[in-house]
Amino acid sequence: MTPADLLSEGELTVRGRIREASNAALYCTVAHDGQEAACVYKPVAGERPLWDFPDGTLAAREVAAYLVSEATGWGLVPPTVLRDGPYGEGMVQLWIEAVPDAELLALVEEDEPGPGWKAIGLAEVGEGRTALLVHADDARLRRLAVLDAVINNADRKGGHLLPAAGGRLYGIDHGVTFNVENKLRTLLWGWAGEALTEEAVTVLGGLQEQLTEGAVLAERLAGLITPAELDATRARVDALLTAKAHPEPGGEWPAIPWPPV
């Protein structure tokens, strides 16, 4: 049984609440036929209304982000499903144990990032002082930056990056994605304006095909986001392939989420 099947078919038991989350997020276990795994359950009923996203749609957007991630072959989003649970329909996602002390973000006193780092921008650190916020020049983060550009992620914070065992990296919390308007807000601006890798161009080309009308991915996304949002996703992929470069901040929306972590 795949992790996604286990999440879909297993018995969901609530074990506690994740209090740091802005929307209701419950730590659970899911069990079926002798298999068990930890997971996160975010019921639609616990979603906080947002002015720029329709009510009750965040769970479906999280599943849509997982499907697009799987279509890239990069596996950057943990297995995620939409299902019924103890508090109604919601998103259920495999729990990822983060590896401690993985250096992906840092504050440095220098004006320029050192070798192996990319600059994000200046951050206030108290008493009128500023420091340069940087992220690792890491191929896994670069892939995630491409995925975020495709799904129009409005909230890529440092706390949403989970380094895992075996060198894996996952991104979580994709409820505010797929908006028709450009809302890309992320800490991963270090490659802004730089040419996409050949790998990314190849992956985007495959994604373009999978998003064509009638394709399996397009059909599955059509059940999770609106037709206009699906068209906007296609347009973002087309734009990335035309430019063959990482996007730059547009200026009409704050480029960096706050707080950044």
Side-chain angles (χ1 to χ4, degrees):
M1 176 175 284
T2 68
D5 289 338
L6 178 60
L7 294 174
S8 296
E9 301 174 22
E11 181 180 355
L12 194 62
T13 303
V14 176
R15 303 296 183 184
R17 181 170 183 177
I18 303 170
R19 297 193 177 276
E20 310 88 64
S22 55
N23 296 294
L26 305 173
Y27 178 76
C28 302
T29 55
V30 61
H32 182 76
D33 241 2
Q35 294 188 49
E36 183 173 295
C39 59
V40 177
Y41 164 48
K42 297 181 182 179
V44 171
E47 292 180 5
R48 177 170 53 90
L50 299 172
W51 68 269
D52 51 350
F53 285 84
D55 292 352
T57 67
L58 305 191
R61 294 172 193 278
E62 295 234 33
V63 178
Y66 165 67
L67 293 179
V68 174
S69 167
E70 288 300 284
T72 65
W74 286 334
L76 294 168
V77 178
T80 311
V81 303
L82 195 64
R83 59 163 288 177
D84 195 31
Y87 299 101
E89 185 178 59
M91 179 280 285
V92 178
Q93 184 175 83
L94 188 69
W95 179 268
I96 301 297
E97 285 292 343
V99 175
D101 302 324
E103 291 193 14
L104 298 175
L105 299 168
L107 284 167
V108 297
E109 298 293 336
E110 292 78 12
D111 295 330
E112 297 291 334
W117 296 92
K118 306 289 282 188
I120 303 168
L122 292 174
E124 294 185 8
V125 292
E127 300 179 353
R129 295 171 53 244
T130 61
L132 186 65
L133 182 61
V134 298
H135 67 67
D137 188 2
D138 185 304
R140 301 168 302 171
L141 289 180
R142 192 165 189 173
R143 289 171 173 172
L144 195 57
V146 174
L147 176 66
D148 283 342
V150 170
I151 67 177
N152 198 15
N153 192 352
D155 196 30
R156 175 60 72 206
K157 296 177 179 176
H160 299 165
L161 304 173
L162 298 183
R168 295 290 301 272
L169 176 72
Y170 293 98
I172 60 169
D173 285 347
H174 297 107
V176 285
T177 49
F178 295 100
N179 202 295
V180 170
E181 299 179 14
N182 178 21
K183 291 184 178 291
L184 184 58
R185 190 168 59 165
T186 175
L187 287 180
L188 305 180
W189 286 118
W191 299 281
E194 292 187 18
L196 293 169
T197 64
E198 290 185 12
E199 177 198 41
V201 171
T202 299
V203 165
L204 288 168
L207 192 57
Q208 188 179 52
E209 292 183 11
Q210 295 181 74
L211 288 170
T212 57
E213 190 171 351
V216 174
L217 176 62
E219 292 294 315
R220 295 187 70 182
L221 290 178
L224 298 166
I225 58 178
T226 68
E229 290 167 342
L230 182 51
D231 284 342
T233 303
R234 294 182 177 115
R236 288 191 295 271
V237 172
D238 292 347
L240 286 166
L241 283 170
T242 298
K244 288 186 170 55
H246 288 269
E248 299 182 79
E252 70 276 8
W253 182 254
I256 298 175
W258 191 262
V261 178

